[in-house]
Amino acid sequence: MDAQLLWLIPALPLAAALVNGALALGTARDAYGAPRALVALLAVLGPALSFALTLALWPSAGGPLEGLPEVYRATYFTWFAGSGFALPFTLVLDQLSALMLLFVTGIGALIHLYSVGYMWADRGFARFMCYMNLFMAAMIVLVMGGSLPVTFLGWEGVGLCSYLLIGFWHERTAYADAARKAFVYNRVGDLGFLLGAFALLSVAGSLDYAAISQWCRSADAARLAEAGPLLSLAALAIFLGCCGKSAQIPLAAWLPDAMAGPTPVSALIHAATMVTAGVFLVARLADLYVVAPQALTVVLLVGCATALWGAIAGLVQHDIKKALAYSTVSQLGFMFMAAGSGAFSVALFHVFTHAFFKAALFLAAGAVIHGLHHEQDMRRMGGLRPHLPIAYLAAFYGWWAIVGLPFAAGFFSKDLILEHLWLGHNELGALNIAPLVAGVALLTAGLTAVYMTRVMTLVFWSPCRLDAEARAHIAPTPLTMSVPLLILALGSLVAGFAWVGLPLDALGIPPDALAFIKHYLAPVLAAPEQRWLAAHPHGELGNLPWAIAGVGTLVAALGALIGYAVWRQGPAQVPSAGSETAPSGWGGHWTFAWDRLAEWLIVKPVFALGYALYWVIELAILGISGWLAMQAARALGAGYLAVVQRARLRANLLCAVLGGAAFLAVVIVFVVR
């Protein structure tokens, strides 16, 4: 296929967004008048065709049965040019972008299909689908960008769409506040992205990913030592941008509040698209990070701290979507821990498996909320397994995968992360901190099993806490929601075999043919990973995988048993309908720790500075200066200038002529000469 046709992949959902946007504007006065069947067809067809086009290109872009890959690269125009510098608009489909596109477009299409059933009765249906399609187009540009500026175009696009989607029900002040919070937090990260890009341009002389990788691989020790501080600055600044987009400390607090948007938005943001962008960018710039080891150690530590904080915060949530949101924050921390240990392909493997089981969990939660007519407090649920069997099936397999029980998707990716952390070597002074981080990661995995089992128990396994009327009016899950749930449930089970392969020898299919991720990413990531291993050698693998698998399974099972034992009878108190769902006590302090820290370190100082400037500059300096000018004008006018005013016009004209002549004389004497 002609590489010049790569533009079709983002253009298809963009075209759907434009048409649906026009339909939304055309029916703005009568929002229910939009042709919903046409809107739904376009909304699902755009990302579905992008997925089909990605599949058509994928084998020749390095599929597992095709041997060495071919990379598609298409330059369409020169975006801008300066003295000795030109920035082309380039799209790339290599192994990394193709892998990301497979689940971005595939799972994205399933979420769009799910949205049809979930949002069908909403008066803003066409507008919602327009935003969703636009989000998908921006994410595709982000993934396919051949340079940092093209990636930044998609980066800003998903930031804008997240603001629009989180605040979709903007009539509620809390939802609009959550959208603004997400927007502001991401803008802070975007500043880091831009500063890092400029620093990288000054070192490597280019913003093109291929040129940056080539510079990092070809630079000798002397050049790297000379550019070391600037390389570290670039890597850290770009990682700040990744923290904003992927909700890592200190920019993690926006993601739980993003639950204000409709549930399909939560699934789209949390599962396969926006929040994985930071992990993707670190992997795309792997050559930069391996020559800036201090920055990679920061990535490791931030990922570790975020994973632990998210897991503890997830333990105390009452809102089902908030519990899953903190789970996403924690799982993203695992991905950054893998990247921080130099295992970029393992980080992307966890991105891949996480996309399935987290989408299954969020969409199952959406089916529960839909069935209970927008009830989100888990303390008022219970016993829903027989009433919502499809949602339960998807939630069960998603739970199995995320806690790391054997043979589900998360089991393989989580264990690989623990292996690389245990064998890794990240220096903090003279101390190798990677094994210590591995211990924290294992503890976090146990906490994950506890809080996710709490969710399952409170929602499905504990006694039903609905009254008879509510139980009789549980809404069934529509077909458009059920089909994505079943597909994602299956993916939560089998996606992990994309690394280890499926035992299908009896069918004549070699296992390596279905273990493509391990080999597939090698042309992009093998060189930086080998360079990291050469500088930070690992210990012998030996029986470590079996030990990690055994210990990890034991920890997951123990956590699940604790979660079930504590909450099997439901909560101690069932709150009344409409009561506050935010955690209180120490749980509230832990949950909102970063909000409070940001308020004391940033918000209050900024307010104090604003008030100081208001009192000093506006009231004191400008106010007093204005008052003095007024008094001076009044005194001059009443005491002096009024004396020379006459009631006769001839006298006034004579004074004006004499004044003009005097002014000209002064100009001639003091200026012209």
Side-chain angles (χ1 to χ4, degrees), residues 161-172:
C161 293
S162 67
Y163 167 77
L164 296 173
L165 287 166
I166 294 167
F168 180 74
W169 289 322
H170 53 80
E171 297 87 356
R172 304 181 188 180

Side-chain angles (χ1 to χ4, degrees), residues 377-466:
D377 195 325
M378 295 184 290
R379 296 170 295 178
R380 293 193 288 267
M381 297 180 185
L384 295 179
R385 179 172 53 180
H387 301 284
L388 297 168
I390 302 298
Y392 172 71
L393 187 68
F396 178 78
Y397 288 127
W399 165 80
W400 188 359
I402 194 173
V403 302
L405 292 174
F407 308 120
F411 170 76
F412 297 104
S413 55
K414 177 205 69 178
D415 282 5
L416 281 168
I417 293 172
L418 292 174
E419 287 174 24
H420 282 80
L421 289 173
W422 185 258
L423 294 173
H425 192 92
N426 290 78
E427 296 177 353
L428 188 63
L431 178 65
N432 177 21
I433 61 170
L436 301 176
V437 172
V440 178
L442 188 62
L443 171 64
T444 305
L447 292 174
T448 301
V450 174
Y451 71 74
M452 285 308 305
T453 304
R454 172 179 177 266
V455 171
M456 291 295 295
T457 303
L458 289 177
V459 176
F460 295 106
W461 296 335
S462 58
C464 185
R465 296 175 293 282
L466 300 173

Side-chain angles (χ1 to χ4, degrees), residues 579-658:
S579 60
E580 179 61 48
T581 61
S584 58
W586 76 268
H589 290 300
W590 186 271
T591 297
F592 302 114
W594 285 101
D595 280 333
R596 292 191 175 98
L597 189 62
E599 184 173 356
W600 282 101
L601 294 182
I602 300 173
V603 176
K604 288 186 181 300
V606 168
F607 268 88
L609 178 62
Y611 278 114
L613 293 176
Y614 170 73
W615 284 99
V616 172
I617 295 180
E618 181 138 352
L619 294 184
I621 299 177
L622 296 181
I624 293 174
S625 299
W627 182 83
L628 290 174
M630 177 194 67
Q631 295 299 326
R634 178 180 296 173
L636 288 173
Y640 299 97
L641 298 179
V643 176
V644 298
Q645 297 298 313
R646 294 289 182 268
R648 295 187 178 185
L649 180 61
R650 287 179 297 175
N652 289 336
L653 288 175
L654 178 62
C655 290
V657 170
L658 292 176

Side-chain angles (χ1 to χ4, degrees), residues 54-70:
T54 302
L55 281 178
L57 288 169
W58 173 61
S60 53
L65 304 179
E66 298 295 324
L68 293 177
E70 173 188 352

Side-chain angles (χ1 to χ4, degrees), residues 487-531:
I487 295 174
L488 291 168
L490 178 63
S492 300
L493 278 181
V494 304
F497 290 97
W499 186 276
V500 300
L502 287 168
L504 298 178
D505 299 28
L507 300 178
I509 301 176
D512 278 354
L514 297 170
F516 66 92
I517 291 181
K518 182 165 57 176
H519 311 293
Y520 183 70
L521 294 172
V524 179
L525 297 177
E529 288 182 339
Q530 290 170 2
R531 183 168 185 170

Side-chain angles (χ1 to χ4, degrees), residues 543-570:
N543 293 321
L544 182 64
W546 293 104
I548 291 290
V551 173
T553 301
L554 180 63
V555 168
L558 182 61
L561 288 174
I562 292 173
Y564 181 74
V566 173
W567 288 285
R568 70 184 185 279
Q569 297 300 327

